[in-house]
Amino acid sequence: MDREKITAAAVRLLDADGLAKFSMRRLAAELGVTAMSVYWYVDSKDDLLELAMDAAEGELDLPDPADTEADWREQLRHLAYEYRRLFNVHPWVSQMVGSYLNIGPHAMAFSHAAQGIMRRTGLPAPQLTGAMAALFQFVYGYSTTEASWNGRCRAAGLSADEYLSTVYGKIEGRAEYEDSLRLMEQGGGSTVHEMRERDFTVALDCILAGMDALTVATHTTRDRAENPHGPSQPAQSAQRP
Amino acid sequence: MDREKITAAAVRLLDADGLAKFSMRRLAAELGVTAMSVYWYVDSKDDLLELAMDAAEGELDLPDPADTEADWREQLRHLAYEYRRLFNVHPWVSQMVGSYLNIGPHAMAFSHAAQGIMRRTGLPAPQLTGAMAALFQFVYGYSTTEASWNGRCRAAGLSADEYLSTVYGKIEGRAEYEDSLRLMEQGGGSTVHEMRERDFTVALDCILAGMDALTVATHTTRDRAENPHGPSQPAQSAQRP
DNA sequence: ACCTGAACACCGTTCAAGT
DNA sequence: ACCTGAACACCGTTCAAGT
């Protein structure tokens, strides 16, 4: 029995039954021990949850910080997909990220990696943190919603598409809700999964294109006239015109 | 005693003491009634929380749907700030939006309003939902993080700036964490509040600029050559070239 | 140093009973 | 139709006691 074993067991239980059903007593039972013995290694339930959260964040595949040749766009995309995967694999993490401080070593390594890539966008410092927030807070919000939807599907014993039908059942008839449905149909994509993949990709495209636009906007008017299509090369070069 | 009075009391209690301290028993006490009498009006705690959430969402100031003259950029900004304000005024809503279904009448009115504006961006249907997700999931993620930070400040009895100092205290010394601090300093802005306002504004700029870029990208190459600076007029016109 | 048992102050919800 | 009391099966955490 040590902190690591306890944290690992907590992650296992959280993955299996979710945050709502997780309790110190159930964890202790899982470890074959009395509820209170866990408190010798851990100050409180919240403390343990923060340990579990950081452990899960340790599974993120971060880019090699030495690889400054790589395209920052590709690296940001990779990090975004990794972050999304985290919330889908460990839905309880997404319920906690918004409420906890999140300064464990793995969380810090992640944001450090993100900052390293962001520096290579060519964005000036005052805009860099805002653009970073645009990207990663989007991924957090999107993935949280997505993961909780999946959770409700599992709880109801339905596929994502079946569950969507039942939701539309509750909504149909109310005039104002119907064009919500039309919008989805117009968007194309026959399954929930397809629509979600497309929306996520498009949103990433949107935010990355926005970063390019912000970078261009910091050029002089003359620069812009010479380079009307925006920076199609790594925008690093925009820093030293 | 009716559903509305119960919902209003729930909102009051949630605002005052937060989601963690909210219980059916405390709510009943507040209403001067036994715990179980609430269950005559409401099926479960989750049900009541959904009612409370939708009630809070009713406070959102939505744009007049008849006003099709207005600049969609301004309207999206307005809606984004309103959404953010909701999460800051009722932090418990942000803890729930990610986990609940959110198909109450006020929630639907909000997303209906958002869709109405998005249609006027000129984005083709398949990209519209993705771009909308980019904007509003960002606002949700950002505001949730922001609101929970404020909550921890209040709990610790510190101002946002004082609290930031204590967090930096925990971090300092660890090599990799230090350039996180540098980044914030380089970004400028002397207070947490200033930095947050700037980041939020920049992120909105980024995402809206991204929408413009996506719209431009759907033009033919010939169109693009004729209009190198992207759509500076309402992009509606881009729909009929 | 590590673990336990009993206890405290709570939960959400069921269910039979009251008026 | 509306409300109550007692009860069930849980919580996180404290604290004195064991080994």
Side-chain angles (χ1 to χ4, degrees):
Chain A
M1 271 276 276
D2 59 353
R3 259 163 100 107
E4 255 183 68
K5 231 163 235 155
I6 291 173
T7 306
V11 170
R12 217 180 324 121
L13 232 63
L14 286 161
D15 285 344
D17 303 323
L19 184 57
K21 295 201 164 178
F22 177 81
S23 78
M24 297 301 271
R25 285 169 142 108
R26 273 164 55 94
L27 174 66
E30 180 83 2
L31 290 163
V33 94
T34 264
M36 296 323 299
S37 74
V38 179
Y39 280 91
W40 205 88
Y41 300 93
V42 145
D43 281 346
S44 67
K45 190 189 182 184
D46 275 354
D47 251 54
L48 175 54
L49 286 176
E50 268 180 274
L51 290 173
M53 179 169 62
D54 201 64
E57 277 159 348
E59 295 171 13
L60 289 163
D61 173 48
L62 304 180
D64 178 9
D67 184 7
T68 53
E69 303 295 297
D71 180 22
W72 58 264
R73 272 161 265 250
E74 260 178 49
Q75 289 193 311
L76 283 181
R77 268 179 220 277
H78 174 75
L79 220 50
Y81 275 101
E82 276 293 297
Y83 205 37
R84 181 188 181 205
R85 194 176 59 81
L86 172 68
F87 295 130
N88 276 279
V89 173
H90 306 293
W92 49 275
V93 173
S94 81
Q95 294 177 264
M96 291 172 52
V97 156
S99 327
Y100 286 71
L101 191 45
N102 222 345
I103 54 168
H106 291 121
M108 293 303 289
F110 171 75
S111 76
H112 184 252
Q115 280 168 30
I117 306 173
M118 286 301 296
R119 280 185 211 281
R120 287 163 47 226
T121 57
L123 281 167
Q127 313 213 43
L128 198 147
T129 49
M132 193 165 92
L135 178 57
F136 290 101
Q137 298 288 16
F138 154 73
V139 177
Y140 158 56
Y142 189 88
S143 310
T144 297
T145 306
E146 179 178 42
S148 92
W149 180 280
N150 289 340
R152 276 192 305 276
C153 291
R154 240 176 293 122
L158 298 172
S159 76
D161 298 292
E162 290 165 344
Y163 189 71
L164 182 65
S165 301
T166 75
V167 171
Y168 275 148
K170 292 181 196 168
I171 278 175
E172 93 184 333
R174 289 180 255 183
E176 133 195 81
Y177 303 179
E178 271 168 17
D179 52 16
S180 180
L181 198 148
R182 264 212 318 279
L183 183 70
M184 271 202 181
E185 283 165 357
Q186 284 171 7
S190 45
T191 68
V192 170
H193 183 258
E194 273 176 36
M195 288 184 336
R196 282 210 288 227
E197 293 306 317
R198 187 207 53 208
D199 280 357
F200 189 76
T201 312
V202 169
L204 286 190
D205 288 343
C206 177
I207 293 167
L208 290 176
M211 290 182 188
D212 278 341
L214 289 190
T215 307
V216 171
T218 66
H219 287 189
T220 63
T221 312
R222 206 176 124 268
D223 283 339
R224 222 179 317 166
E226 284 168 3
N227 183 22
H229 298 111
S232 59
Q233 299 306 315
Q236 219 175 0
S237 57
Q239 266 184 323
R240 9 188 173 74
Chain B
M1 272 274 278
D2 60 352
R3 258 163 101 107
E4 256 183 69
K5 231 163 234 155
I6 290 173
T7 305
V11 170
R12 218 181 321 122
L13 231 64
L14 285 161
D15 285 344
D17 303 322
L19 184 58
K21 294 202 164 179
F22 178 79
S23 79
M24 297 300 269
R25 287 168 140 109
R26 272 163 56 94
L27 173 67
E30 180 84 1
L31 290 163
V33 94
T34 262
M36 295 323 300
S37 75
V38 179
Y39 279 92
W40 204 88
Y41 301 92
V42 145
D43 281 346
S44 68
K45 190 189 182 185
D46 274 353
D47 250 54
L48 176 55
L49 286 176
E50 267 180 275
L51 289 173
M53 179 169 61
D54 201 63
E57 277 160 349
E59 296 171 12
L60 289 163
D61 174 48
L62 304 181
D64 178 9
D67 185 8
T68 53
E69 304 294 297
D71 180 22
W72 59 264
R73 273 162 265 250
E74 260 177 49
Q75 289 193 310
L76 283 181
R77 269 180 219 278
H78 175 75
L79 220 50
Y81 276 102
E82 276 293 298
Y83 204 36
R84 180 187 181 206
R85 193 175 60 79
L86 171 68
F87 295 130
N88 275 280
V89 172
H90 306 294
W92 49 276
V93 174
S94 82
Q95 293 177 263
M96 291 172 52
V97 156
S99 327
Y100 286 72
L101 191 45
N102 223 346
I103 55 168
H106 291 121
M108 292 302 290
F110 171 75
S111 76
H112 185 252
Q115 280 168 29
I117 306 173
M118 286 300 295
R119 279 185 211 281
R120 288 164 47 226
T121 57
L123 281 167
Q127 313 214 41
L128 199 148
T129 49
M132 193 166 92
L135 178 56
F136 290 102
Q137 298 289 15
F138 154 73
V139 177
Y140 158 56
Y142 189 87
S143 310
T144 298
T145 306
E146 179 179 42
S148 92
W149 180 279
N150 289 339
R152 275 192 305 274
C153 291
R154 241 176 292 122
L158 298 172
S159 76
D161 298 291
E162 288 165 346
Y163 189 71
L164 182 65
S165 301
T166 75
V167 171
Y168 274 148
K170 291 180 197 167
I171 277 174
E172 92 184 335
R174 288 179 255 182
E176 132 195 83
Y177 303 179
E178 270 167 18
D179 53 13
S180 180
L181 198 148
R182 264 211 318 280
L183 183 70
M184 272 203 180
E185 282 165 357
Q186 284 171 6
S190 45
T191 68
V192 169
H193 182 259
E194 273 176 38
M195 289 183 336
R196 283 210 287 226
E197 292 306 317
R198 187 206 53 207
D199 280 356
F200 189 77
T201 312
V202 169
L204 286 189
D205 288 343
C206 176
I207 293 167
L208 290 176
M211 290 181 188
D212 279 341
L214 288 191
T215 308
V216 171
T218 67
H219 286 188
T220 64
T221 312
R222 206 176 124 266
D223 283 338
R224 220 180 319 166
E226 284 167 5
N227 183 21
H229 298 112
S232 58
Q233 300 306 314
Q236 219 173 359
S237 58
Q239 264 183 325
R240 8 185 174 76

